[in-house]
Amino acid sequence: MMVLLNTQDWHVSQKVQIGIGTAVGILLLIGQPVWGASEDNMLFHFTEPSHFAEWDINNDTVMGGISQSQIKLNKQQALLFSGQVSLENNGGFASTESTFTHQITDASSLTLTAKGDGKTYQIRLKTPSLSYGEAYVANFRTDADTLTQHSFTPADFTVSFRGRAVTNAPTLNFEDIDRIGFLVAQKQQGPFTIELHSIQFDQ
C-alpha cells in the first residue's frame, strides 16, 4: 500500500510516493505533544511552546476590514489557523505570526508540512534587518484535506510591505529569522482552514 504525499507549490512541482511504514511514522510524529530539535535535524513544531511562543492574529481589521480568524490546537496536535476572509471595507486578508528564537546554522532550505483546503497561503519570515511591517514572503498552494510538504530556498522569497514589493532589501539568510507567520494570500474571499504541522531547516 502506498500513501501519496503531495509536495506541489509555486516552487516544487512533484509528487512523492512514500511507503506505509513511513506514513505511519509521520502520523505518529504528528500525534506527539512534545518535541525536541537537534542540530542535525532542525525540525520545529508549531504547537510546541519551546519552539514557538504565543501566536498573534493580525487581520485586515487594522485597516478597517472585517475579516476574522483564530488559532487553536486540534486533535492532530497541529496548529489550526482558520477563519473568514471578507473583501468589505477594502479588506481581504487574515494572518498569524509568532516569535522564533532558535539558532539555525548554515541552513539552505526549509520544508513546511501542512494540511490545507485548496487555497493559496503565504509563508512570511522576518529578520532584524527589515524595517517595520516588511517581510520575506513566498506563496504556496495547498490541496484540500491533504498533508503536503512545501520546500523553499532563500531565493524563493521576495520582500513585501503591505502587499507591495520592496526593492534593495537585504538578502534573506534563514539563520537571521526571528519571526515566522502565515497569511491567506491573494484576497481569497470566504472561509479558510489550514493545519500547520512543522517547519524543518536543512543544510
Side-chain angles (χ1 to χ4, degrees):
M1 178 179 180
M2 302 296 289
V3 177
L4 192 63
L5 183 62
N6 189 340
T7 62
Q8 185 179 50
D9 56 39
W10 294 127
H11 318 290
V12 179
S13 298
Q14 61 179 351
K15 293 186 177 180
V16 179
Q17 287 187 323
I18 59 176
I20 187 64
T22 304
V24 170
I26 291 174
L27 294 176
L28 289 175
L29 178 63
I30 291 170
Q32 296 299 315
V34 178
W35 303 272
S38 69
E39 293 183 358
D40 296 328
N41 183 22
M42 300 301 288
L43 177 65
F44 299 93
H45 295 263
F46 295 118
T47 56
E48 171 54 38
S50 66
H51 294 177
F52 289 92
E54 182 177 355
W55 287 81
D56 299 321
I57 292 293
N58 182 21
N59 299 334
D60 56 21
T61 52
V62 299
M63 302 168 61
I66 60 172
S67 296
Q68 300 178 353
S69 66
Q70 55 276 326
I71 283 285
K72 69 177 182 179
L73 176 69
N74 69 4
K75 294 180 180 179
Q76 288 71 41
Q77 296 294 320
L79 191 72
L80 185 66
F81 178 43
S82 62
Q84 183 89 17
V85 171
S86 172
L87 303 185
E88 294 186 30
N89 298 341
N90 295 318
F93 74 87
S95 68
T96 186
E97 184 180 87
S98 181
T99 301
F100 184 75
T101 59
H102 300 277
Q103 183 62 50
I104 304 299
T105 304
D106 297 328
S108 61
S109 67
L110 70 82
T111 300
L112 168 70
T113 300
K115 180 188 287 186
D117 53 6
K119 291 191 173 184
T120 297
Y121 292 84
Q122 186 179 91
I123 181 171
R124 300 171 59 84
L125 309 177
K126 295 183 177 180
T127 71
S129 63
L130 294 181
S131 300
Y132 177 78
E134 295 178 343
Y136 297 97
V137 304
N139 291 341
F140 61 97
R141 186 172 58 251
T142 64
D143 290 341
D145 301 320
T146 302
L147 190 67
T148 56
Q149 289 187 325
H150 309 270
S151 297
F152 305 89
T153 67
D156 294 320
F157 290 84
T158 59
V159 178
S160 175
F161 175 72
R162 295 183 178 178
R164 298 189 297 271
V166 175
T167 58
N168 300 321
T171 301
L172 172 61
N173 292 311
F174 289 147
E175 294 88 346
D176 299 330
I177 296 170
D178 62 0
R179 294 189 71 83
I180 295 178
F182 298 90
L183 180 142
V184 186
Q186 301 177 338
K187 290 183 176 288
Q188 297 169 102
Q189 187 173 12
F192 70 90
T193 300
I194 184 171
E195 287 181 4
L196 300 168
H197 288 268
S198 66
I199 189 167
Q200 178 171 326
F201 295 88
D202 293 296
Q203 294 183 352

